[in-house]
Amino acid sequence: MKFLRLLGLVMIMMAASYPLNAENLSPANEWITLGTSAGPIPDAVRSQPANALVVNGNVYLADAGDGTAGRLASAGYSHKAVRAIFISHLHFDHTGGIPAILALRWQTSAREPITIYGPPGTRDTVEGIFAFMEYGALGAYGVPGQTPKPANYQVEVVELEDGSTIDTGDFTLTAVRNTHYSWPEGSDEWKKFQSFAFKFELPNSSIVYTGDTGPSGAVEKLAQNADLLVSEMMDIDKTVEAVSRANPNMPEKALANMRSHLTAHHVTPEQVGEMATRAKVKKLVATHLAPAMLESSEVDYYTKRVRSKFDGDFFIASDLDRF
Amino acid sequence: MKFLRLLGLVMIMMAASYPLNAENLSPANEWITLGTSAGPIPDAVRSQPANALVVNGNVYLADAGDGTAGRLASAGYSHKAVRAIFISHLHFDHTGGIPAILALRWQTSAREPITIYGPPGTRDTVEGIFAFMEYGALGAYGVPGQTPKPANYQVEVVELEDGSTIDTGDFTLTAVRNTHYSWPEGSDEWKKFQSFAFKFELPNSSIVYTGDTGPSGAVEKLAQNADLLVSEMMDIDKTVEAVSRANPNMPEKALANMRSHLTAHHVTPEQVGEMATRAKVKKLVATHLAPAMLESSEVDYYTKRVRSKFDGDFFIASDLDRF
């Protein structure tokens, strides 16, 4: 038993000796775009959707796609500094990195609690992660006599609804339903499957994160006068064109249907700019990018399209950018 | 319904237009070290343990820690080209990236089957991943009338035992129990929690991957005359020293216990060299590195330690190296 406690201690110390963990950084509050790809197709350069809001040295994630634990380390923060994860919706490009975060927390003997906030279904989703971890947790470090902690040790889940507010101590969070899903209002699916935008109200500033959304009056209202608006952005025409080029025999009706779906559930560069202008935000950052916008000519092209509708500060995010 | 089929088609096409997927590469067989950190603490530069064996354009993963889907994209391969994942043992630094791979396969309408091979407990682990995916899969793309595929669509699980052999069509795989765990032989735990080394026998070459292991006659025997030995490597002295330095009051006995644990379950640079020499392997690659060995002086130092025991080809792997 004593040996096992020591083994836990070792893991804690290994984490503590990590060169750039939260404790070693100045406590400047910042928003870090950890992964800026639109998902769900893994990209060679941009990681899957993930963001970190750092407040008073505490890390809060807004979505956490594949590889978030690694991206967080690259940003200089320990996975053990994560106090909460806010899931905008349960598409896997936004949740694929959560199992690794919870599992690596367990494996490195994290003792601080973490809370997973998200739409209805978040509890079932996180229970599934515990099931994924259960057998491995029982085996632990393969040492006779060990008494490993359960997979759900120090993990809480809170499901949100449209309009929910949460006070974390570092900020107040508000969740608002956006238009990433097309369920008829009031239907069973409309209740079961929700997609959110989030507002983070800090003592001296406010940040709004759209999540994945089409044009939405509710999101625009949420973003009114925000200091920072972090928005998804998709070149829908280019996506439709790429599919059409790759499939010259695709019927016109099929292409029209696809365009209709993408148009309802995502926003174009012009729509991003219009939303920011109408909401009078101070700074605008585009992430969740399709196409990848890796060439500077592409960045210039899309920047111009957004600036044609918004004349404030605007940036197309790269992975690990800080705002 | 037709619309949903089209939506699936769109996702397939988006994947098909991916610039560097397996189909676009020459079919040279290669071993790619996708993630070369020892885990479980996420590293700023080296990703968690993961490797890809590419044979005839098919991708086979040997372990898949956090971020493997992204690292695979960086290596030029689609997550949909993965035909199988071989899990050496169920520590989460080796499995944390599997949920994202299965979930992103589902989300991008992968149609080809994938098989997850691993020790006892792999079935429960993968069933947990399906539970993690279930709610999100039901919501799918948020379009009324959709009939989404179940989370386990085209995913098979095969549990291995010490000595199991599998013919994939591209190679024969042999799993052999290594010494990463210390259970008394024949105990319940010894049966329940197994850790493997793998041998991949291709028509014209053979590769042995140690997984995580201490010194092991069985692994050495498996590696006899291999063309490539991919071994874990840990500077145990340095790890113990780092802990001791960070905790000057830690009792001598505690440090001795820790050293004893690491010594039984991992291999030093000298032991890696000795294993390669005794097994007469043609080429030796060290991965699963602790410490991170990022400075060239560190690489030189550890290379010398290995070469003091092995005079064949030797490399300390970086992420995305190809052999």
Side-chain angles (χ1 to χ4, degrees):
Chain A
M1 284 304 300
K2 191 173 176 188
F3 176 73
L4 263 292
R5 252 177 280 128
L6 288 169
L7 192 58
L9 193 64
V10 167
M11 298 313 299
I12 291 159
M13 287 162 186
M14 285 171 77
S17 67
Y18 192 71
L20 273 172
N21 64 2
E23 289 70 26
N24 295 339
L25 287 175
S26 68
N29 299 340
E30 54 185 351
W31 180 278
I32 310 174
T33 48
L34 297 174
T36 57
S37 162
I41 299 168
D43 185 77
V45 174
R46 296 187 184 275
S47 195
Q48 296 273 300
N51 302 270
L53 172 61
V54 185
V55 183
N56 303 320
N58 295 319
V59 176
Y60 300 88
L61 299 177
D63 291 327
D66 172 60
T68 298
R71 272 292 192 266
L72 195 58
S74 299
Y77 290 98
S78 166
H79 62 298
K80 292 161 79 167
V82 178
R83 299 280 70 83
I85 304 176
F86 297 95
I87 304 172
S88 66
H89 65 298
L90 293 174
H91 280 166
F92 304 135
D93 47 333
H94 292 247
T95 61
I98 300 176
I101 292 170
L102 296 188
L104 294 175
R105 267 177 54 89
W106 182 95
Q107 203 178 347
T108 54
S109 303
R111 287 174 300 183
E112 297 287 319
I114 185 172
T115 306
I116 319 292
Y117 298 92
T122 297
R123 190 172 306 281
D124 286 0
T125 299
V126 176
E127 294 283 346
I129 297 175
F130 298 150
F132 155 67
M133 292 169 62
E134 188 177 353
Y135 201 105
L138 285 174
Y141 278 103
V143 180
Q146 61 193 358
T147 51
K149 292 190 168 57
N152 64 359
Y153 179 73
Q154 288 285 58
V155 181
E156 298 294 327
V157 175
V158 176
E159 293 190 352
L160 307 171
E161 294 283 343
D162 186 15
S164 291
T165 63
I166 301 288
D167 185 350
T168 65
D170 284 322
F171 53 82
T172 302
L173 173 112
T174 306
V176 161
R177 185 193 285 262
N178 62 25
T179 59
H180 190 49
Y181 295 150
S182 307
W183 314 114
E185 191 166 333
S187 65
D188 281 354
E189 288 93 344
W190 186 82
K191 287 170 201 149
K192 274 190 81 170
F193 307 112
Q194 300 185 35
S195 174
F196 294 135
F198 294 127
K199 180 172 194 171
F200 305 85
E201 288 180 274
L202 283 69
N204 299 311
S205 62
S206 62
I207 301 164
V208 170
Y209 169 63
T210 64
D212 283 12
T213 190
S216 160
V219 175
E220 212 167 281
K221 187 175 167 200
L222 188 72
Q224 282 300 312
N225 301 308
D227 294 286
L228 173 63
L229 172 62
V230 180
S231 178
E232 76 126 88
M233 185 166 90
M234 182 179 282
D235 185 338
I236 292 165
D237 287 335
K238 188 155 182 172
T239 306
V240 175
E241 275 165 29
V243 173
S244 174
R245 234 191 347 267
N247 304 274
N249 297 326
M250 198 169 169
E252 276 304 314
K253 188 164 186 314
L255 281 172
N257 275 342
M258 191 187 72
R259 180 186 298 274
S260 151
H261 160 72
L262 293 176
T263 302
H265 295 188
H266 293 283
V267 280
T268 64
E270 287 77 11
Q271 288 171 329
V272 171
E274 286 165 357
M275 171 169 53
T277 292
R278 285 198 291 258
K280 304 181 192 67
V281 305
K282 293 202 182 64
K283 187 183 287 190
L284 173 64
V285 168
T287 186
H288 192 281
L289 304 167
M293 307 178 195
L294 295 172
E295 302 293 326
S296 65
S297 60
E298 265 190 313
V299 171
D300 290 348
Y301 169 71
Y302 287 105
T303 299
K304 272 185 197 140
R305 286 181 57 177
V306 174
R307 288 211 170 122
S308 73
K309 304 291 182 185
F310 176 69
D311 61 8
D313 276 354
F314 170 67
F315 304 90
I316 290 180
S318 295
D319 284 17
L320 304 179
D321 277 354
R322 292 157 189 264
F323 301 97
Chain B
M1 287 303 300
K2 191 174 177 187
F3 175 73
L4 262 293
R5 252 177 281 129
L6 288 170
L7 192 60
L9 193 64
V10 167
M11 299 313 298
I12 291 160
M13 286 163 190
M14 285 172 76
S17 67
Y18 192 73
L20 272 172
N21 65 1
E23 288 71 27
N24 296 339
L25 287 174
S26 66
N29 299 339
E30 54 186 352
W31 179 279
I32 310 174
T33 50
L34 297 174
T36 58
S37 162
I41 299 169
D43 185 77
V45 174
R46 295 187 184 275
S47 195
Q48 296 274 299
N51 302 271
L53 172 60
V54 184
V55 183
N56 302 321
N58 295 318
V59 176
Y60 300 87
L61 298 177
D63 291 327
D66 172 60
T68 298
R71 273 292 192 266
L72 195 58
S74 300
Y77 289 98
S78 166
H79 63 299
K80 292 162 80 168
V82 178
R83 298 280 70 83
I85 303 176
F86 297 96
I87 305 172
S88 66
H89 65 298
L90 293 174
H91 280 167
F92 304 135
D93 48 334
H94 292 247
T95 61
I98 300 177
I101 292 170
L102 296 189
L104 294 176
R105 267 177 53 89
W106 183 94
Q107 203 178 346
T108 53
S109 303
R111 289 174 299 182
E112 297 286 319
I114 186 172
T115 306
I116 318 294
Y117 298 92
T122 297
R123 190 173 306 281
D124 285 1
T125 299
V126 175
E127 294 283 345
I129 298 175
F130 298 151
F132 155 68
M133 292 169 62
E134 188 178 353
Y135 201 104
L138 284 174
Y141 278 102
V143 179
Q146 62 192 359
T147 51
K149 291 190 168 58
N152 65 0
Y153 180 72
Q154 288 285 57
V155 181
E156 299 293 326
V157 175
V158 176
E159 292 191 350
L160 306 170
E161 294 283 344
D162 186 13
S164 291
T165 63
I166 300 289
D167 185 350
T168 65
D170 284 322
F171 54 81
T172 301
L173 172 113
T174 305
V176 161
R177 185 192 284 264
N178 62 26
T179 60
H180 190 49
Y181 294 150
S182 306
W183 314 114
E185 189 166 335
S187 67
D188 280 353
E189 289 93 343
W190 187 82
K191 287 171 202 148
K192 271 190 84 170
F193 307 112
Q194 299 185 37
S195 174
F196 295 134
F198 293 127
K199 180 171 195 172
F200 304 85
E201 287 180 274
L202 284 68
N204 299 312
S205 63
S206 62
I207 301 164
V208 170
Y209 169 64
T210 63
D212 283 13
T213 190
S216 159
V219 175
E220 213 168 282
K221 189 175 164 200
L222 189 71
Q224 283 299 312
N225 301 307
D227 293 287
L228 173 64
L229 173 61
V230 180
S231 179
E232 76 127 87
M233 186 166 90
M234 182 179 279
D235 185 338
I236 293 164
D237 287 335
K238 188 155 184 174
T239 306
V240 175
E241 275 165 29
V243 173
S244 174
R245 233 189 352 264
N247 304 273
N249 297 326
M250 197 169 169
E252 277 303 315
K253 189 163 185 313
L255 281 172
N257 275 343
M258 192 187 69
R259 181 185 297 277
S260 150
H261 159 72
L262 293 176
T263 302
H265 295 187
H266 292 283
V267 281
T268 65
E270 287 76 11
Q271 288 170 329
V272 171
E274 286 164 356
M275 171 168 54
T277 293
R278 286 199 291 260
K280 305 180 191 70
V281 305
K282 293 200 181 66
K283 187 182 289 189
L284 173 64
V285 168
T287 186
H288 192 279
L289 303 167
M293 306 178 196
L294 295 172
E295 302 293 326
S296 64
S297 60
E298 266 191 311
V299 171
D300 289 349
Y301 169 71
Y302 287 106
T303 299
K304 272 186 197 140
R305 286 181 57 178
V306 174
R307 288 213 170 121
S308 73
K309 304 292 181 184
F310 176 68
D311 61 8
D313 277 354
F314 171 67
F315 305 90
I316 290 179
S318 296
D319 284 17
L320 304 180
D321 276 353
R322 292 158 189 262
F323 301 97

